[in-house]
Amino acid sequence: RTEFNKVNRPLLITMAVPAGSWAGQWIDYETLKETVDWFGCMTYDFFGSWIPRSGHNAPLYPPAQNDNGSVQSSLTYLNITRKVPKDQILIGIPFYGRGCDATGYNRPNTGGNTDYRYSEVMPLIGNGWDFFWDDAAKVPYLLNGSRTKFITYDDTASVRMKCEFALE
């Protein structure tokens, strides 16, 4: 930090950090918050091939079922539990989707785990895939017409809500 501050143009020290205590318990935030300008909280990848049930990749709020993390719980962990000031926390937002073989939300993930670019997800809506909105978690998801495949992702509405949450 001292050497960075000697440079004429300001330089930032940032750090990507986990969204909860599982890996976050090993980080010395008390010391680091004096050196690091921003902590980029990875508020995504709450579900994927490593979870036996389908779920949301990056819910804003804890879903009614199958809560494995959310933006809100991640920020509470960093700000309240670990005492990182709010103005040092950035919210990481995914611009991709995660899919699996499942008959719906919070159903067994039976394989077929696939990552999707945002540009690959949007054309699916209405073309053999149905759109759903989880009002508790504030995120969308898709199911194919035969109800055998599930995709979790963020859209413009869920990203807007996350930005509004960050501003508050």
Side-chain angles (χ1 to χ4, degrees):
R1 173 86 268 168
T2 301
E3 293 303 312
F4 268 52
N5 290 342
K6 290 179 185 177
V7 176
N8 288 335
R9 69 180 197 281
L11 298 175
L12 297 174
I13 298 175
T14 65
M15 180 179 177
V17 297
S21 64
W22 186 79
Q25 66 182 316
W26 309 109
I27 297 174
D28 183 0
Y29 288 103
E30 189 64 35
T31 300
L32 287 171
K33 69 184 177 183
E34 303 304 321
T35 304
V36 174
D37 293 294
W38 295 328
F39 294 91
C41 188
M42 298 181 286
T43 57
Y44 46 83
D45 293 344
F46 291 114
F47 281 90
S49 61
W50 54 94
I51 303 291
R53 300 185 74 72
S54 61
H56 301 307
N57 185 36
L60 175 54
Y61 298 106
Q65 304 169 319
N66 207 2
D67 178 19
N68 202 44
S70 67
V71 171
Q72 180 189 45
S73 62
S74 301
L75 289 155
T76 298
Y77 169 73
L78 281 177
N79 180 241
I80 305 299
T81 305
R82 301 307 300 272
K83 299 182 179 24
V84 175
K86 289 179 182 178
D87 63 355
Q88 283 185 273
I89 303 171
L90 299 175
I91 297 172
I93 298 176
F95 289 96
Y96 58 89
R98 291 194 176 278
C100 68
D101 295 341
T103 59
Y105 170 73
N106 195 33
R107 300 287 188 254
N109 174 352
T110 58
N113 295 285
T114 307
D115 294 337
Y116 294 89
R117 291 183 184 100
Y118 179 76
S119 61
E120 295 172 316
V121 174
M122 298 316 292
L124 298 175
I125 300 171
N127 291 308
W129 292 77
D130 297 318
F131 173 91
F132 294 88
W133 178 260
D134 185 328
D135 202 44
K138 304 297 184 204
V139 288
Y141 63 94
L142 301 179
L143 289 173
N144 67 347
S146 59
R147 300 298 191 258
T148 58
K149 299 205 178 282
F150 171 90
I151 298 176
T152 173
Y153 69 104
D154 271 282
D155 64 3
T156 56
S158 63
V159 169
R160 185 189 79 245
M161 289 178 185
K162 289 173 184 175
C163 290
E164 290 169 353
F165 178 85
L167 290 172
E168 289 175 14

